[in-house]
Amino acid sequence: MSSVTADAPDSGPASESVRVDHGGEDWSPSRAVVEAIAALAGVEPSALADETGLVLYDHVEPDALDALVERRPDRDLAVSFSVGEYRVCVDRDGAVAEPAR
């Protein structure tokens, strides 16, 4: 299950964000983070490290992030962190990435 949503205003400075929903065995929170950042960077998720130099585990432990988010499905939980030039927020439903300001 993946859902990518990009938001950009019609005028003014670009303030783009991308949300990728996670859930199920194939769409972990950490994978949603990679998908969202790749969408903003304009690259395929599998090429993120090669084309941008960004490696998720250099910024957060993916297994720990997945365990934290997936073990609390009934609670309001949001984890925010930076990955390179992107700001990421992961909640129980998805990951949102946007350029850092």
Side-chain angles (χ1 to χ4, degrees):
M1 168 168 122
S2 173
S3 172
V4 176
T5 306
D7 298 315
D10 292 335
S11 62
S15 176
E16 188 175 328
S17 67
V18 173
R19 177 178 180 85
V20 176
D21 293 335
H22 60 75
E25 291 181 26
D26 293 337
W27 291 99
S28 66
S30 59
R31 182 171 178 182
V33 170
V34 171
E35 295 270 340
I37 293 172
L40 280 178
V43 301
E44 290 295 318
S46 61
L48 185 64
D50 291 337
E51 294 193 28
T52 67
L54 295 174
V55 178
L56 183 60
Y57 60 78
D58 287 345
H59 302 275
V60 66
E61 179 17 84
D63 291 335
L65 176 64
D66 294 345
L68 179 65
V69 175
E70 291 171 344
R71 289 186 183 150
R72 307 249 190 252
D74 58 336
R75 299 199 182 177
D76 280 339
L77 172 76
V79 179
S80 297
F81 53 93
S82 295
V83 176
E85 62 194 60
Y86 302 99
R87 186 86 182 125
V88 178
C89 182
V90 181
D91 62 24
R92 66 183 180 180
D93 298 318
V96 177
E98 63 186 11
R101 298 176 193 199

